[in-house]
Amino acid sequence: MKYLIGIDLGTSGTKTVLFDENGNTIKSHMVEYPMYQPQNGWAEQDPRDWYNAAVQTLRAVTDGIDASDIAGIGISGQMHSLVMLDENNDVIRPAILWCDGRTAQECKEITDKVGYDRLIAITANPALTGFTASKILWVRKHEPENYARCRHIMLAKDYVRLMLTGAYATDVSDASGMQLLDIKNRCWSEEILEKLDIDPLLLNKVYESPDITGYVTSAASKLTGVPAGTPVVGGAGDNAAAAVGTGVVTEGKAFTTIGTSGVVFAHTNEMHVDPKGRVHTFCCAVPGQWHVMGVTLAAGQSLKWFRDNFCAEEIATAKTMGVDPYYFTDKEAEQSPIGCNKLIYMPYLMGERTPHLDPDCRGAFIGLSAMHTKRDMTRAVMEGVVYSLRDCCEILKGMGVASEQMAACGGGGSSPLWRTMLSDTYNMDVTTVTSKEGPALGAAILAGVGAGIYPSVQEGCKRVIKIKTMQKPDLAKHEEYEKYYNIYTKLYTALKDEYKALAKL
């Protein structure tokens, strides 16, 4: 029996998981690291923290096993984060993260230089502060001495790959989020690089996700316990890896993640682009195919905000009983009917991405009256998040990306009530899988393809991914949700101008 390793490099920490070739978790370990915010709206990390965490977690999962049975390593990572290295591969400055918002002016500059329509045609997305290209321009403008020293530009997981293998490489799914990739042709865009005056020699070679990109060096082997010569594949961005880890690798399959943010991710064999830029179209981890992804910014964050501010009693009770506080929020919400006694929540605590692309919109309870209780408000928050995710689904449907089955993952996906809401609102089956490792498992499957254990990503998923639960929609409940969702879809338009006015105060 061979082993496969999946490394999931997140924003809060790196988790490394050792799997057998059937996808069973053998060992896992996580190491956390800090995020720095030197100014309001900025977010940075030290890339060396990522590699140190990878070393520690690899050492932990390889301890006590026959490491010669490790067939390959795959890496999943936070997307968009800018790493700049000098000629000696030393880190020049802290990495600027995906959630850093300093580059609004650079986004305008990119749009002006490339042209909005041309930018969508090549990169399939509008210029956004989260993407890497605007971060590169920001460093060039504000830190010219650092830019002058830069010899290599890479993403988070690709820095860890470099340290493990010595290879300058990235994969198509992660590179899609840099806004420098020709998404249709799966290669760097000469036109974009020329118009933005970025030297293509700064960028890594682009591989498909299951391709072998390098091999663990002797130096890295001594630190990690992984044998020298172990292959490391291209890997994938976090959501693309999560898709593999949930079996969303064929046409008609999709997943919904309810984490801090919410994502609706649909696999597609053909490239589909929203000309309005409301959803992301990226290359996916399956060679030659794509995915379309809608994002709601405050999904689980909405419930966490409500819990932390209004559910002190539930939190205290959960602590004494040794259970998750969300168990009690679910129980509260279950006691309120669909529609929460005519109460609707708009989950725009952080502005909104899909479908509004509006940083100024904010959360609201609509219809609040003296009859409403905490249980109504709790359920309204959960329903509002689901309506926002339904918005993502509707955009995808309008693009011709139809889903027949939806997997649920993330923290919210573990809630039976939230899964029921998703199924009834979407009017489709909602499943969960047996493994909770998501991106790490996806990265390991990709490693298995590269190592020859699985003949393809799809075949690897067939062997490894097992359905745990399936929630069937209730047509009567779907029709009831439709009444409230139809009102929900009109509320943003009614309040849009007032959001702008409020933001200017």
Side-chain angles (χ1 to χ4, degrees):
M1 181 70 72
K2 293 293 185 181
Y3 296 121
L4 296 166
I5 291 178
I7 301 173
D8 181 18
L9 193 164
T11 308
S12 59
T14 287
K15 184 178 186 181
T16 296
V17 186
L18 180 75
F19 301 93
D20 67 21
E21 59 191 66
N22 292 318
N24 299 308
T25 299
I26 307 302
K27 298 174 75 174
S28 69
H29 192 69
M30 182 169 182
V31 170
E32 297 182 347
Y33 32 70
M35 181 175 73
Y36 306 99
Q37 295 183 275
Q39 293 191 37
N40 186 28
W42 292 21
E44 299 181 346
Q45 284 181 327
D46 186 341
R48 290 163 294 199
D49 287 344
W50 302 333
Y51 182 57
N52 289 335
V55 167
Q56 292 179 58
T57 54
L58 284 167
R59 173 65 69 180
V61 301
T62 58
D63 184 43
I65 68 159
D66 185 350
S68 65
D69 287 332
I70 297 172
I73 297 175
I75 312 176
S76 159
Q78 53 165 293
M79 296 180 69
H80 316 303
S81 299
L82 171 66
V83 181
M84 306 184 83
L85 306 180
D86 67 15
E87 59 186 5
N88 299 315
N89 291 333
D90 290 329
V91 175
I92 293 173
R93 69 170 325 284
I96 303 177
L97 301 191
W98 60 274
C99 51
D100 187 288
R102 76 183 75 178
T103 62
Q105 188 58 44
E106 286 70 31
C107 288
K108 183 178 184 303
E109 180 182 344
I110 290 170
T111 304
D112 291 344
K113 287 183 174 180
V114 179
Y116 181 87
D117 291 339
R118 193 64 185 146
L119 193 64
I120 295 286
I122 298 171
T123 73
N125 295 281
L128 297 173
T129 58
F131 289 176
T132 317
S134 62
K135 297 172 171 56
I136 297 171
L137 270 57
W138 186 92
V139 173
R140 185 168 67 192
K141 181 189 298 182
H142 295 277
E143 300 175 356
E145 68 288 351
N146 284 335
Y147 192 81
R149 292 173 56 205
C150 183
R151 295 295 177 271
H152 302 284
I153 288 172
M154 56 183 57
L155 299 165
K157 79 177 194 321
D158 302 326
Y159 173 74
V160 171
R161 179 204 322 280
L162 173 66
M163 301 302 289
L164 288 174
T165 68
Y168 300 98
T170 190
D171 82 284
V172 290
S173 72
D174 215 359
S176 295
M178 293 185 74
Q179 200 129 55
L180 301 174
L181 196 77
D182 181 333
I183 302 297
K184 180 179 180 180
N185 296 304
R186 307 170 86 86
C187 62
W188 298 123
S189 168
E190 294 180 6
E191 180 180 337
I192 298 286
L193 293 172
E194 181 179 347
K195 287 181 175 178
L196 299 184
D197 192 24
I198 295 173
D199 185 349
L201 294 178
L202 294 173
L203 303 177
N204 294 342
K205 183 178 178 180
V206 182
Y207 292 81
E208 292 289 347
S209 294
D211 290 348
I212 294 174
T213 58
Y215 301 86
V216 173
T217 64
S218 296
S221 175
K222 292 175 182 176
L223 292 172
T224 62
V226 178
T230 301
V232 178
V233 299
D238 48 9
N239 281 299
V244 178
T246 52
V248 179
V249 293
T250 55
E251 189 85 25
K253 288 194 173 183
F255 72 77
T256 294
T257 296
I258 303 178
T260 302
S261 61
V263 169
V264 176
F265 176 115
H267 180 96
T268 176
N269 296 339
E270 303 293 334
M271 182 174 164
H272 297 265
V273 177
D274 176 27
K276 296 180 181 180
R278 295 167 295 178
V279 295
H280 303 317
T281 297
F282 289 159
C283 303
C284 74
V286 179
Q289 299 182 16
W290 291 266
H291 70 255
V292 187
M293 183 172 72
V295 180
T296 181
L297 294 178
Q301 185 178 6
S302 284
L303 190 58
K304 183 179 186 301
W305 163 80
F306 187 81
R307 182 203 71 179
D308 291 350
N309 286 281
F310 304 105
C311 299
E313 182 180 346
E314 288 83 353
I315 293 172
T317 302
K319 186 175 181 180
T320 61
M321 295 179 62
V323 299
D324 190 323
Y326 289 117
Y327 170 81
F328 288 103
T329 56
D330 270 20
K331 293 302 179 185
E332 284 274 337
E334 285 174 351
Q335 298 177 60
S336 180
I338 292 173
C340 320
N341 293 308
K342 301 182 181 179
L343 180 64
I344 296 175
Y345 170 74
M346 301 170 69
Y348 307 143
L349 299 183
M350 307 299 293
E352 191 54 290
R353 182 82 60 83
T354 304
H356 306 308
L357 291 175
D358 187 348
D360 294 327
C361 64
R362 289 295 180 265
F365 283 100
I366 304 296
L368 191 64
S369 74
M371 72 162 287
H372 286 116
T373 64
K374 185 163 63 177
R375 65 187 56 165
D376 294 320
M377 298 177 75
T378 304
R379 186 181 183 101
V381 169
M382 297 178 76
E383 287 186 358
V385 169
V386 171
Y387 296 151
S388 183
L389 294 166
R390 168 78 181 275
D391 276 348
C392 297
C393 291
E394 293 303 316
I395 299 297
L396 300 187
K397 286 181 185 177
M399 295 168 60
V401 181
S403 300
E404 300 158 3
Q405 188 180 84
M406 185 72 65
C409 48
S414 63
S415 162
L417 177 59
W418 236 335
R419 293 199 304 271
T420 301
M421 289 180 178
L422 289 172
S423 178
D424 292 339
T425 304
Y426 292 168
N427 197 28
M428 70 173 69
D429 295 347
V430 172
T431 64
T432 61
V433 298
T434 53
S435 177
K436 294 184 178 181
E437 299 299 350
L441 177 58
I445 292 172
L446 295 172
V449 177
I453 292 174
Y454 317 123
S456 67
V457 177
Q458 292 92 335
E459 289 301 317
C461 288
K462 283 182 182 178
R463 179 169 170 183
V464 168
I465 307 301
K466 305 290 191 300
I467 298 297
K468 182 180 180 181
T469 66
M470 179 177 289
Q471 180 66 45
K472 293 281 188 180
D474 182 312
L475 183 58
K477 291 180 179 179
H478 170 70
E479 292 173 349
E480 190 68 15
Y481 277 118
E482 283 293 278
K483 300 173 186 177
Y484 292 95
Y485 176 67
N486 288 334
I487 296 172
Y488 171 89
T489 59
K490 298 177 177 66
L491 294 175
Y492 170 78
T493 302
L495 293 171
K496 181 179 178 180
D497 291 342
E498 311 316 317
Y499 285 137
K500 296 296 182 188
L502 189 62
K504 292 178 181 178
L505 293 180

